[in-house]
mmCIF file of all heavy atoms in Angstrom:
data_model
loop_
_atom_site.group_PDB
_atom_site.id
_atom_site.type_symbol
_atom_site.label_atom_id
_atom_site.label_comp_id
_atom_site.label_asym_id
_atom_site.label_seq_id
_atom_site.Cartn_x
_atom_site.Cartn_y
_atom_site.Cartn_z
ATOM 1 N N MET A 1289 84.991 96.105 114.600
ATOM 2 C CA MET A 1289 84.193 96.968 115.430
ATOM 3 C C MET A 1289 83.573 98.097 114.522
ATOM 4 O O MET A 1289 82.648 98.716 114.936
ATOM 5 C CB MET A 1289 84.935 97.618 116.549
ATOM 6 C CG MET A 1289 85.358 96.601 117.670
ATOM 7 S SD MET A 1289 83.997 95.726 118.431
ATOM 8 C CE MET A 1289 83.097 96.989 119.174
ATOM 9 N N THR A 1290 84.166 98.336 113.376
ATOM 10 C CA THR A 1290 83.702 99.429 112.528
ATOM 11 C C THR A 1290 82.253 99.193 112.048
ATOM 12 O O THR A 1290 81.456 100.099 112.083
ATOM 13 C CB THR A 1290 84.632 99.590 111.332
ATOM 14 O OG1 THR A 1290 85.938 99.874 111.803
ATOM 15 C CG2 THR A 1290 84.172 100.707 110.447
ATOM 16 N N VAL A 1291 82.007 97.993 111.622
ATOM 17 C CA VAL A 1291 80.684 97.720 111.033
ATOM 18 C C VAL A 1291 79.560 97.904 112.089
ATOM 19 O O VAL A 1291 78.568 98.592 111.771
ATOM 20 C CB VAL A 1291 80.628 96.269 110.454
ATOM 21 C CG1 VAL A 1291 79.241 95.932 110.000
ATOM 22 C CG2 VAL A 1291 81.614 96.179 109.269
ATOM 23 N N PRO A 1292 79.650 97.393 113.283
ATOM 24 C CA PRO A 1292 78.562 97.587 114.257
ATOM 25 C C PRO A 1292 78.370 99.122 114.588
ATOM 26 O O PRO A 1292 77.210 99.535 114.694
ATOM 27 C CB PRO A 1292 78.974 96.812 115.481
ATOM 28 C CG PRO A 1292 79.935 95.838 115.006
ATOM 29 C CD PRO A 1292 80.606 96.398 113.865
ATOM 30 N N PHE A 1293 79.461 99.857 114.673
ATOM 31 C CA PHE A 1293 79.268 101.244 115.004
ATOM 32 C C PHE A 1293 78.744 102.028 113.809
ATOM 33 O O PHE A 1293 77.950 102.948 114.012
ATOM 34 C CB PHE A 1293 80.640 101.849 115.469
ATOM 35 C CG PHE A 1293 80.944 101.505 116.894
ATOM 36 C CD1 PHE A 1293 82.016 100.681 117.180
ATOM 37 C CD2 PHE A 1293 80.168 102.001 117.919
ATOM 38 C CE1 PHE A 1293 82.297 100.301 118.500
ATOM 39 C CE2 PHE A 1293 80.439 101.633 119.289
ATOM 40 C CZ PHE A 1293 81.546 100.811 119.557
ATOM 41 N N ARG A 1294 79.069 101.628 112.630
ATOM 42 C CA ARG A 1294 78.467 102.352 111.486
ATOM 43 C C ARG A 1294 77.015 102.004 111.354
ATOM 44 O O ARG A 1294 76.185 102.865 110.988
ATOM 45 C CB ARG A 1294 79.243 101.976 110.168
ATOM 46 C CG ARG A 1294 80.646 102.591 110.186
ATOM 47 C CD ARG A 1294 81.244 102.483 108.857
ATOM 48 N NE ARG A 1294 80.879 103.640 108.062
ATOM 49 C CZ ARG A 1294 81.452 103.947 106.931
ATOM 50 N NH1 ARG A 1294 82.449 103.228 106.464
ATOM 51 N NH2 ARG A 1294 81.034 105.000 106.263
ATOM 52 N N LEU A 1295 76.660 100.792 111.694
ATOM 53 C CA LEU A 1295 75.200 100.404 111.657
ATOM 54 C C LEU A 1295 74.441 101.152 112.748
ATOM 55 O O LEU A 1295 73.318 101.565 112.572
ATOM 56 C CB LEU A 1295 75.046 98.890 111.832
ATOM 57 C CG LEU A 1295 75.468 98.050 110.605
ATOM 58 C CD1 LEU A 1295 75.381 96.595 110.977
ATOM 59 C CD2 LEU A 1295 74.635 98.394 109.435
ATOM 60 N N LEU A 1296 75.128 101.343 113.907
ATOM 61 C CA LEU A 1296 74.503 102.151 114.988
ATOM 62 C C LEU A 1296 74.255 103.573 114.524
ATOM 63 O O LEU A 1296 73.223 104.115 114.711
ATOM 64 C CB LEU A 1296 75.324 102.057 116.228
ATOM 65 C CG LEU A 1296 74.869 102.975 117.393
ATOM 66 C CD1 LEU A 1296 73.525 102.470 117.921
ATOM 67 C CD2 LEU A 1296 75.924 102.954 118.481
ATOM 68 N N THR A 1297 75.305 104.144 113.930
ATOM 69 C CA THR A 1297 75.169 105.519 113.376
ATOM 70 C C THR A 1297 74.029 105.626 112.317
ATOM 71 O O THR A 1297 73.280 106.554 112.372
ATOM 72 C CB THR A 1297 76.531 105.924 112.756
ATOM 73 O OG1 THR A 1297 77.546 105.793 113.720
ATOM 74 C CG2 THR A 1297 76.472 107.374 112.305
ATOM 75 N N CYS A 1298 73.998 104.614 111.487
ATOM 76 C CA CYS A 1298 72.919 104.603 110.446
ATOM 77 C C CYS A 1298 71.554 104.599 111.143
ATOM 78 O O CYS A 1298 70.677 105.382 110.752
ATOM 79 C CB CYS A 1298 73.069 103.337 109.621
ATOM 80 S SG CYS A 1298 71.704 102.880 108.584
ATOM 81 N N THR A 1299 71.378 103.809 112.162
ATOM 82 C CA THR A 1299 70.130 103.695 112.889
ATOM 83 C C THR A 1299 69.775 104.985 113.598
ATOM 84 O O THR A 1299 68.664 105.472 113.495
ATOM 85 C CB THR A 1299 70.142 102.561 113.900
ATOM 86 O OG1 THR A 1299 70.483 101.320 113.194
ATOM 87 C CG2 THR A 1299 68.846 102.380 114.634
ATOM 88 N N VAL A 1300 70.758 105.573 114.279
ATOM 89 C CA VAL A 1300 70.513 106.770 115.015
ATOM 90 C C VAL A 1300 70.113 107.924 114.118
ATOM 91 O O VAL A 1300 69.088 108.641 114.355
ATOM 92 C CB VAL A 1300 71.750 107.147 115.859
ATOM 93 C CG1 VAL A 1300 71.604 108.545 116.436
ATOM 94 C CG2 VAL A 1300 71.872 106.132 117.008
ATOM 95 N N PHE A 1301 70.911 108.163 113.071
ATOM 96 C CA PHE A 1301 70.583 109.291 112.120
ATOM 97 C C PHE A 1301 69.273 109.066 111.425
ATOM 98 O O PHE A 1301 68.445 110.027 111.329
ATOM 99 C CB PHE A 1301 71.711 109.463 111.105
ATOM 100 C CG PHE A 1301 72.836 110.261 111.632
ATOM 101 C CD1 PHE A 1301 74.080 109.664 111.853
ATOM 102 C CD2 PHE A 1301 72.703 111.622 111.844
ATOM 103 C CE1 PHE A 1301 75.129 110.413 112.315
ATOM 104 C CE2 PHE A 1301 73.815 112.371 112.265
ATOM 105 C CZ PHE A 1301 74.981 111.788 112.517
ATOM 106 N N THR A 1302 68.996 107.899 111.003
ATOM 107 C CA THR A 1302 67.713 107.592 110.281
ATOM 108 C C THR A 1302 66.515 107.745 111.229
ATOM 109 O O THR A 1302 65.537 108.376 110.865
ATOM 110 C CB THR A 1302 67.735 106.203 109.679
ATOM 111 O OG1 THR A 1302 68.907 106.104 108.786
ATOM 112 C CG2 THR A 1302 66.515 105.948 108.867
ATOM 113 N N ALA A 1303 66.628 107.216 112.419
ATOM 114 C CA ALA A 1303 65.521 107.312 113.387
ATOM 115 C C ALA A 1303 65.284 108.774 113.803
ATOM 116 O O ALA A 1303 64.154 109.181 113.938
ATOM 117 C CB ALA A 1303 65.834 106.448 114.563
ATOM 118 N N ALA A 1304 66.387 109.508 113.971
ATOM 119 C CA ALA A 1304 66.224 110.950 114.353
ATOM 120 C C ALA A 1304 65.554 111.747 113.289
ATOM 121 O O ALA A 1304 64.654 112.528 113.554
ATOM 122 C CB ALA A 1304 67.590 111.547 114.644
ATOM 123 N N ALA A 1305 65.906 111.466 112.037
ATOM 124 C CA ALA A 1305 65.293 112.207 110.911
ATOM 125 C C ALA A 1305 63.825 111.737 110.747
ATOM 126 O O ALA A 1305 62.941 112.648 110.642
ATOM 127 C CB ALA A 1305 66.072 111.945 109.613
ATOM 128 N N LEU A 1306 63.562 110.500 110.778
ATOM 129 C CA LEU A 1306 62.197 109.974 110.584
ATOM 130 C C LEU A 1306 61.283 110.339 111.779
ATOM 131 O O LEU A 1306 60.081 110.521 111.601
ATOM 132 C CB LEU A 1306 62.165 108.481 110.341
ATOM 133 C CG LEU A 1306 62.886 108.075 108.999
ATOM 134 C CD1 LEU A 1306 62.842 106.558 108.868
ATOM 135 C CD2 LEU A 1306 62.202 108.699 107.791
ATOM 136 N N GLY A 1307 61.890 110.449 112.945
ATOM 137 C CA GLY A 1307 61.137 110.844 114.130
ATOM 138 C C GLY A 1307 60.886 112.333 114.283
ATOM 139 O O GLY A 1307 60.292 112.722 115.248
ATOM 140 N N GLY A 1308 61.449 113.154 113.406
ATOM 141 C CA GLY A 1308 61.234 114.588 113.462
ATOM 142 C C GLY A 1308 62.205 115.298 114.385
ATOM 143 O O GLY A 1308 62.029 116.480 114.651
ATOM 144 N N ARG A 1309 63.198 114.625 114.941
ATOM 145 C CA ARG A 1309 64.136 115.244 115.817
ATOM 146 C C ARG A 1309 65.319 115.885 115.101
ATOM 147 O O ARG A 1309 66.095 116.544 115.681
ATOM 148 C CB ARG A 1309 64.688 114.218 116.827
ATOM 149 C CG ARG A 1309 63.595 113.702 117.734
ATOM 150 C CD ARG A 1309 64.163 112.608 118.627
ATOM 151 N NE ARG A 1309 63.075 111.959 119.315
ATOM 152 C CZ ARG A 1309 62.978 111.964 120.640
ATOM 153 N NH1 ARG A 1309 63.901 112.516 121.365
ATOM 154 N NH2 ARG A 1309 61.968 111.349 121.189
ATOM 155 N N ALA A 1310 65.489 115.548 113.819
ATOM 156 C CA ALA A 1310 66.554 116.080 113.009
ATOM 157 C C ALA A 1310 65.971 116.388 111.610
ATOM 158 O O ALA A 1310 64.941 115.855 111.233
ATOM 159 C CB ALA A 1310 67.687 115.061 112.894
ATOM 160 N N PRO A 1311 66.666 117.262 110.875
ATOM 161 C CA PRO A 1311 66.173 117.611 109.492
ATOM 162 C C PRO A 1311 66.116 116.324 108.633
ATOM 163 O O PRO A 1311 66.892 115.396 108.812
ATOM 164 C CB PRO A 1311 67.231 118.556 108.969
ATOM 165 C CG PRO A 1311 67.929 119.073 110.144
ATOM 166 C CD PRO A 1311 67.858 118.017 111.217
ATOM 167 N N ASP A 1312 65.251 116.297 107.666
ATOM 168 C CA ASP A 1312 65.082 115.136 106.786
ATOM 169 C C ASP A 1312 66.350 114.777 106.056
ATOM 170 O O ASP A 1312 66.537 113.602 105.691
ATOM 171 C CB ASP A 1312 63.945 115.395 105.801
ATOM 172 C CG ASP A 1312 62.576 115.440 106.447
ATOM 173 O OD1 ASP A 1312 62.453 114.923 107.549
ATOM 174 O OD2 ASP A 1312 61.671 115.979 105.789
ATOM 175 N N VAL A 1313 67.230 115.698 105.820
ATOM 176 C CA VAL A 1313 68.455 115.442 105.077
ATOM 177 C C VAL A 1313 69.348 114.460 105.840
ATOM 178 O O VAL A 1313 70.152 113.772 105.239
ATOM 179 C CB VAL A 1313 69.217 116.760 104.799
ATOM 180 C CG1 VAL A 1313 69.818 117.323 106.075
ATOM 181 C CG2 VAL A 1313 70.252 116.579 103.722
ATOM 182 N N PHE A 1314 69.139 114.259 107.146
ATOM 183 C CA PHE A 1314 69.932 113.296 107.875
ATOM 184 C C PHE A 1314 69.603 111.838 107.531
ATOM 185 O O PHE A 1314 70.370 110.966 107.893
ATOM 186 C CB PHE A 1314 69.742 113.564 109.388
ATOM 187 C CG PHE A 1314 70.586 114.680 109.949
ATOM 188 C CD1 PHE A 1314 70.301 115.970 109.607
ATOM 189 C CD2 PHE A 1314 71.694 114.409 110.697
ATOM 190 C CE1 PHE A 1314 71.090 116.988 110.109
ATOM 191 C CE2 PHE A 1314 72.495 115.398 111.132
ATOM 192 C CZ PHE A 1314 72.219 116.699 110.857
ATOM 193 N N VAL A 1315 68.500 111.629 106.850
ATOM 194 C CA VAL A 1315 68.221 110.252 106.325
ATOM 195 C C VAL A 1315 69.348 109.891 105.370
ATOM 196 O O VAL A 1315 69.824 108.746 105.381
ATOM 197 C CB VAL A 1315 66.862 110.184 105.678
ATOM 198 C CG1 VAL A 1315 66.692 108.873 104.950
ATOM 199 C CG2 VAL A 1315 65.751 110.325 106.725
ATOM 200 N N GLY A 1316 69.804 110.799 104.579
ATOM 201 C CA GLY A 1316 70.935 110.590 103.684
ATOM 202 C C GLY A 1316 72.228 110.222 104.398
ATOM 203 O O GLY A 1316 72.965 109.337 103.926
ATOM 204 N N VAL A 1317 72.467 110.861 105.554
ATOM 205 C CA VAL A 1317 73.636 110.490 106.309
ATOM 206 C C VAL A 1317 73.510 109.068 106.823
ATOM 207 O O VAL A 1317 74.463 108.300 106.786
ATOM 208 C CB VAL A 1317 73.803 111.505 107.507
ATOM 209 C CG1 VAL A 1317 74.944 111.071 108.370
ATOM 210 C CG2 VAL A 1317 74.018 112.914 106.966
ATOM 211 N N GLY A 1318 72.344 108.704 107.279
ATOM 212 C CA GLY A 1318 72.114 107.365 107.774
ATOM 213 C C GLY A 1318 72.303 106.319 106.665
ATOM 214 O O GLY A 1318 72.953 105.296 106.863
ATOM 215 N N LEU A 1319 71.780 106.632 105.456
ATOM 216 C CA LEU A 1319 71.952 105.692 104.337
ATOM 217 C C LEU A 1319 73.441 105.600 103.952
ATOM 218 O O LEU A 1319 73.890 104.524 103.593
ATOM 219 C CB LEU A 1319 71.131 106.147 103.155
ATOM 220 C CG LEU A 1319 69.642 106.077 103.338
ATOM 221 C CD1 LEU A 1319 68.841 106.668 102.157
ATOM 222 C CD2 LEU A 1319 69.189 104.640 103.554
ATOM 223 N N TRP A 1320 74.118 106.752 103.966
ATOM 224 C CA TRP A 1320 75.591 106.721 103.681
ATOM 225 C C TRP A 1320 76.330 105.786 104.675
ATOM 226 O O TRP A 1320 77.201 105.049 104.255
ATOM 227 C CB TRP A 1320 76.096 108.116 103.740
ATOM 228 C CG TRP A 1320 77.552 108.231 103.394
ATOM 229 C CD1 TRP A 1320 78.612 108.296 104.283
ATOM 230 C CD2 TRP A 1320 78.159 108.251 102.089
ATOM 231 N NE1 TRP A 1320 79.752 108.394 103.616
ATOM 232 C CE2 TRP A 1320 79.547 108.336 102.235
ATOM 233 C CE3 TRP A 1320 77.625 108.193 100.794
ATOM 234 C CZ2 TRP A 1320 80.394 108.377 101.170
ATOM 235 C CZ3 TRP A 1320 78.472 108.215 99.737
ATOM 236 C CH2 TRP A 1320 79.847 108.317 99.954
ATOM 237 N N GLU A 1321 76.011 105.921 105.927
ATOM 238 C CA GLU A 1321 76.710 105.108 106.940
ATOM 239 C C GLU A 1321 76.307 103.610 106.778
ATOM 240 O O GLU A 1321 77.141 102.778 106.945
ATOM 241 C CB GLU A 1321 76.338 105.601 108.292
ATOM 242 C CG GLU A 1321 77.055 106.874 108.745
ATOM 243 C CD GLU A 1321 78.547 106.695 108.830
ATOM 244 O OE1 GLU A 1321 79.009 105.642 109.260
ATOM 245 O OE2 GLU A 1321 79.215 107.643 108.420
ATOM 246 N N GLY A 1322 75.067 103.356 106.441
ATOM 247 C CA GLY A 1322 74.656 101.972 106.195
ATOM 248 C C GLY A 1322 75.382 101.390 105.028
ATOM 249 O O GLY A 1322 75.836 100.265 105.096
ATOM 250 N N ALA A 1323 75.513 102.165 103.927
ATOM 251 C CA ALA A 1323 76.240 101.641 102.765
ATOM 252 C C ALA A 1323 77.675 101.442 103.094
ATOM 253 O O ALA A 1323 78.326 100.459 102.638
ATOM 254 C CB ALA A 1323 76.087 102.667 101.615
ATOM 255 N N GLY A 1324 78.266 102.321 103.918
ATOM 256 C CA GLY A 1324 79.664 102.141 104.345
ATOM 257 C C GLY A 1324 79.878 100.917 105.162
ATOM 258 O O GLY A 1324 80.877 100.236 105.066
ATOM 259 N N ALA A 1325 78.910 100.639 106.011
ATOM 260 C CA ALA A 1325 78.970 99.435 106.841
ATOM 261 C C ALA A 1325 78.922 98.176 106.002
ATOM 262 O O ALA A 1325 79.718 97.236 106.216
ATOM 263 C CB ALA A 1325 77.814 99.402 107.881
ATOM 264 N N VAL A 1326 78.087 98.160 105.019
ATOM 265 C CA VAL A 1326 77.970 97.017 104.140
ATOM 266 C C VAL A 1326 79.283 96.836 103.323
ATOM 267 O O VAL A 1326 79.820 95.724 103.254
ATOM 268 C CB VAL A 1326 76.754 97.124 103.146
ATOM 269 C CG1 VAL A 1326 76.807 96.076 102.068
ATOM 270 C CG2 VAL A 1326 75.439 97.067 103.960
ATOM 271 N N ALA A 1327 79.782 97.911 102.791
ATOM 272 C CA ALA A 1327 81.056 97.858 102.029
ATOM 273 C C ALA A 1327 82.200 97.362 102.935
ATOM 274 O O ALA A 1327 83.039 96.578 102.482
ATOM 275 C CB ALA A 1327 81.381 99.210 101.409
ATOM 276 N N THR A 1328 82.242 97.856 104.156
ATOM 277 C CA THR A 1328 83.302 97.453 105.078
ATOM 278 C C THR A 1328 83.175 95.981 105.441
ATOM 279 O O THR A 1328 84.192 95.309 105.593
ATOM 280 C CB THR A 1328 83.247 98.322 106.348
ATOM 281 O OG1 THR A 1328 83.370 99.697 105.939
ATOM 282 C CG2 THR A 1328 84.343 97.994 107.335
ATOM 283 N N ALA A 1329 81.986 95.492 105.519
ATOM 284 C CA ALA A 1329 81.759 94.097 105.913
ATOM 285 C C ALA A 1329 82.093 93.134 104.726
ATOM 286 O O ALA A 1329 82.614 92.025 104.924
ATOM 287 C CB ALA A 1329 80.330 93.885 106.360
ATOM 288 N N VAL A 1330 81.789 93.593 103.508
ATOM 289 C CA VAL A 1330 81.961 92.778 102.323
ATOM 290 C C VAL A 1330 83.391 92.725 101.858
ATOM 291 O O VAL A 1330 83.852 91.679 101.354
ATOM 292 C CB VAL A 1330 81.033 93.251 101.181
ATOM 293 C CG1 VAL A 1330 81.337 92.611 99.863
ATOM 294 C CG2 VAL A 1330 79.555 93.039 101.574
ATOM 295 N N ALA A 1331 84.183 93.769 102.019
ATOM 296 C CA ALA A 1331 85.538 93.882 101.496
ATOM 297 C C ALA A 1331 86.428 92.777 101.910
ATOM 298 O O ALA A 1331 87.102 92.131 101.081
ATOM 299 C CB ALA A 1331 86.120 95.246 101.840
ATOM 300 N N PRO A 1332 86.535 92.408 103.202
ATOM 301 C CA PRO A 1332 87.438 91.284 103.591
ATOM 302 C C PRO A 1332 87.020 89.937 102.935
ATOM 303 O O PRO A 1332 87.849 89.108 102.537
ATOM 304 C CB PRO A 1332 87.322 91.182 105.121
ATOM 305 C CG PRO A 1332 86.835 92.513 105.521
ATOM 306 C CD PRO A 1332 85.982 93.004 104.399
ATOM 307 N N ARG A 1333 85.691 89.685 102.835
ATOM 308 C CA ARG A 1333 85.261 88.422 102.184
ATOM 309 C C ARG A 1333 85.653 88.402 100.747
ATOM 310 O O ARG A 1333 86.136 87.392 100.232
ATOM 311 C CB ARG A 1333 83.735 88.310 102.326
ATOM 312 C CG ARG A 1333 83.342 88.063 103.739
ATOM 313 C CD ARG A 1333 81.854 87.796 103.826
ATOM 314 N NE ARG A 1333 81.472 87.621 105.228
ATOM 315 C CZ ARG A 1333 80.625 88.389 105.877
ATOM 316 N NH1 ARG A 1333 79.963 89.359 105.268
ATOM 317 N NH2 ARG A 1333 80.344 88.135 107.149
ATOM 318 N N TYR A 1334 85.495 89.500 100.035
ATOM 319 C CA TYR A 1334 85.902 89.591 98.656
ATOM 320 C C TYR A 1334 87.383 89.385 98.539
ATOM 321 O O TYR A 1334 87.799 88.682 97.641
ATOM 322 C CB TYR A 1334 85.495 91.004 98.073
ATOM 323 C CG TYR A 1334 86.062 91.275 96.735
ATOM 324 C CD1 TYR A 1334 85.488 90.707 95.603
ATOM 325 C CD2 TYR A 1334 87.188 92.054 96.551
ATOM 326 C CE1 TYR A 1334 85.974 90.951 94.307
ATOM 327 C CE2 TYR A 1334 87.724 92.294 95.314
ATOM 328 C CZ TYR A 1334 87.104 91.722 94.223
ATOM 329 O OH TYR A 1334 87.632 91.980 92.961
ATOM 330 N N GLU A 1335 88.172 89.991 99.337
ATOM 331 C CA GLU A 1335 89.637 89.893 99.275
ATOM 332 C C GLU A 1335 90.081 88.457 99.613
ATOM 333 O O GLU A 1335 90.959 87.932 98.918
ATOM 334 C CB GLU A 1335 90.276 90.865 100.334
ATOM 335 C CG GLU A 1335 91.723 90.983 100.190
ATOM 336 C CD GLU A 1335 92.150 91.657 98.909
ATOM 337 O OE1 GLU A 1335 91.326 92.362 98.262
ATOM 338 O OE2 GLU A 1335 93.260 91.423 98.494
ATOM 339 N N ARG A 1336 89.461 87.831 100.541
ATOM 340 C CA ARG A 1336 89.835 86.391 100.836
ATOM 341 C C ARG A 1336 89.500 85.485 99.642
ATOM 342 O O ARG A 1336 90.320 84.648 99.239
ATOM 343 C CB ARG A 1336 89.071 85.885 102.041
ATOM 344 C CG ARG A 1336 89.878 86.052 103.330
ATOM 345 C CD ARG A 1336 89.137 85.471 104.464
ATOM 346 N NE ARG A 1336 88.439 86.665 105.026
ATOM 347 C CZ ARG A 1336 87.265 86.680 105.621
ATOM 348 N NH1 ARG A 1336 86.611 85.574 105.867
ATOM 349 N NH2 ARG A 1336 86.739 87.762 106.105
ATOM 350 N N ARG A 1337 88.364 85.731 99.059
ATOM 351 C CA ARG A 1337 87.961 84.949 97.894
ATOM 352 C C ARG A 1337 88.906 85.173 96.726
ATOM 353 O O ARG A 1337 89.277 84.232 96.032
ATOM 354 C CB ARG A 1337 86.527 85.230 97.493
ATOM 355 C CG ARG A 1337 85.954 84.307 96.452
ATOM 356 C CD ARG A 1337 84.468 84.534 96.171
ATOM 357 N NE ARG A 1337 83.688 84.453 97.380
ATOM 358 C CZ ARG A 1337 82.764 85.316 97.698
ATOM 359 N NH1 ARG A 1337 82.467 86.331 96.899
ATOM 360 N NH2 ARG A 1337 82.048 85.189 98.841
ATOM 361 N N ARG A 1338 89.248 86.381 96.529
ATOM 362 C CA ARG A 1338 90.152 86.737 95.425
ATOM 363 C C ARG A 1338 91.569 86.073 95.611
ATOM 364 O O ARG A 1338 92.122 85.521 94.672
ATOM 365 C CB ARG A 1338 90.338 88.238 95.252
ATOM 366 C CG ARG A 1338 91.161 88.688 94.111
ATOM 367 C CD ARG A 1338 91.269 90.186 93.994
ATOM 368 N NE ARG A 1338 92.069 90.735 95.111
ATOM 369 C CZ ARG A 1338 93.349 90.815 95.183
ATOM 370 N NH1 ARG A 1338 94.121 90.321 94.215
ATOM 371 N NH2 ARG A 1338 93.958 91.356 96.213
ATOM 372 N N ARG A 1339 92.065 86.153 96.847
ATOM 373 C CA ARG A 1339 93.371 85.554 97.108
ATOM 374 C C ARG A 1339 93.315 84.057 96.994
ATOM 375 O O ARG A 1339 94.297 83.447 96.520
ATOM 376 C CB ARG A 1339 93.827 85.938 98.517
ATOM 377 C CG ARG A 1339 94.274 87.378 98.620
ATOM 378 C CD ARG A 1339 94.782 87.655 99.998
ATOM 379 N NE ARG A 1339 95.052 89.069 100.186
ATOM 380 C CZ ARG A 1339 96.175 89.635 99.804
ATOM 381 N NH1 ARG A 1339 97.128 88.951 99.209
ATOM 382 N NH2 ARG A 1339 96.389 90.930 100.036
ATOM 383 N N ALA A 1340 92.207 83.435 97.379
ATOM 384 C CA ALA A 1340 92.086 81.958 97.239
ATOM 385 C C ALA A 1340 92.046 81.564 95.813
ATOM 386 O O ALA A 1340 92.662 80.525 95.445
ATOM 387 C CB ALA A 1340 90.811 81.497 97.922
ATOM 388 N N GLN A 1341 91.447 82.369 94.927
ATOM 389 C CA GLN A 1341 91.431 82.011 93.515
ATOM 390 C C GLN A 1341 92.811 82.190 92.856
ATOM 391 O O GLN A 1341 93.160 81.473 91.935
ATOM 392 C CB GLN A 1341 90.457 82.895 92.798
ATOM 393 C CG GLN A 1341 88.981 82.566 93.116
ATOM 394 C CD GLN A 1341 88.017 83.528 92.504
ATOM 395 O OE1 GLN A 1341 88.372 84.570 91.989
ATOM 396 N NE2 GLN A 1341 86.752 83.190 92.593
ATOM 397 N N GLU A 1342 93.604 83.104 93.409
ATOM 398 C CA GLU A 1342 94.985 83.324 92.903
ATOM 399 C C GLU A 1342 95.990 82.324 93.449
ATOM 400 O O GLU A 1342 97.077 82.288 93.019
ATOM 401 C CB GLU A 1342 95.466 84.758 93.258
ATOM 402 C CG GLU A 1342 94.718 85.835 92.517
ATOM 403 C CD GLU A 1342 95.137 87.216 92.956
ATOM 404 O OE1 GLU A 1342 95.919 87.354 93.907
ATOM 405 O OE2 GLU A 1342 94.625 88.162 92.349
ATOM 406 N N GLY A 1343 95.511 81.558 94.478
ATOM 407 C CA GLY A 1343 96.480 80.608 95.125
ATOM 408 C C GLY A 1343 97.313 81.174 96.143
ATOM 409 O O GLY A 1343 98.264 80.500 96.621
ATOM 410 N N ALA A 1344 97.086 82.355 96.570
ATOM 411 C CA ALA A 1344 97.882 83.003 97.577
ATOM 412 C C ALA A 1344 97.391 82.554 98.941
ATOM 413 O O ALA A 1344 96.263 82.166 99.120
ATOM 414 C CB ALA A 1344 97.841 84.546 97.513
ATOM 415 N N ALA A 1345 98.238 82.700 99.964
ATOM 416 C CA ALA A 1345 97.862 82.404 101.335
ATOM 417 C C ALA A 1345 96.810 83.420 101.829
ATOM 418 O O ALA A 1345 96.929 84.620 101.462
ATOM 419 C CB ALA A 1345 99.073 82.461 102.256
ATOM 420 N N PRO A 1346 95.879 83.031 102.620
ATOM 421 C CA PRO A 1346 94.884 83.916 103.158
ATOM 422 C C PRO A 1346 95.573 85.001 103.997
ATOM 423 O O PRO A 1346 96.630 84.770 104.548
ATOM 424 C CB PRO A 1346 93.984 83.055 104.067
ATOM 425 C CG PRO A 1346 94.165 81.667 103.557
ATOM 426 C CD PRO A 1346 95.579 81.622 102.977
ATOM 427 N N VAL A 1347 94.955 86.124 104.104
ATOM 428 C CA VAL A 1347 95.549 87.330 104.788
ATOM 429 C C VAL A 1347 96.003 86.994 106.170
ATOM 430 O O VAL A 1347 97.039 87.345 106.636
ATOM 431 C CB VAL A 1347 94.584 88.523 104.764
ATOM 432 C CG1 VAL A 1347 95.169 89.645 105.550
ATOM 433 C CG2 VAL A 1347 94.292 88.910 103.335
ATOM 434 N N GLY A 1348 95.221 86.272 106.943
ATOM 435 C CA GLY A 1348 95.546 85.963 108.331
ATOM 436 C C GLY A 1348 96.635 84.925 108.530
ATOM 437 O O GLY A 1348 97.134 84.754 109.612
ATOM 438 N N ASP A 1349 97.019 84.248 107.475
ATOM 439 C CA ASP A 1349 98.072 83.169 107.550
ATOM 440 C C ASP A 1349 99.481 83.656 107.172
ATOM 441 O O ASP A 1349 100.336 82.827 106.973
ATOM 442 C CB ASP A 1349 97.638 82.013 106.660
ATOM 443 C CG ASP A 1349 96.416 81.367 107.173
ATOM 444 O OD1 ASP A 1349 96.091 81.523 108.334
ATOM 445 O OD2 ASP A 1349 95.821 80.557 106.359
ATOM 446 N N ARG A 1350 99.662 84.925 107.075
ATOM 447 C CA ARG A 1350 101.003 85.421 106.617
ATOM 448 C C ARG A 1350 101.907 85.523 107.794
ATOM 449 O O ARG A 1350 101.682 85.739 108.879
ATOM 450 C CB ARG A 1350 100.859 86.766 105.985
ATOM 451 C CG ARG A 1350 100.188 86.693 104.632
ATOM 452 C CD ARG A 1350 100.224 88.035 104.020
ATOM 453 N NE ARG A 1350 99.363 88.005 102.845
ATOM 454 C CZ ARG A 1350 99.139 89.050 102.102
ATOM 455 N NH1 ARG A 1350 99.687 90.211 102.410
ATOM 456 N NH2 ARG A 1350 98.367 88.968 101.083
#
């Protein structure tokens, strides 16, 4: 649930700043949240791939 909510936060802050409802600096907050959402989404995939290469059991199979 973290990724969808961070993407929502990204959208809200960016739209508010670009729409003139918030200071322009809030675009940075939106970009930060978007980058965090991407990192949060990519991390489990990276971890699964790394464990598979090491021959360990996938995280969900422990």
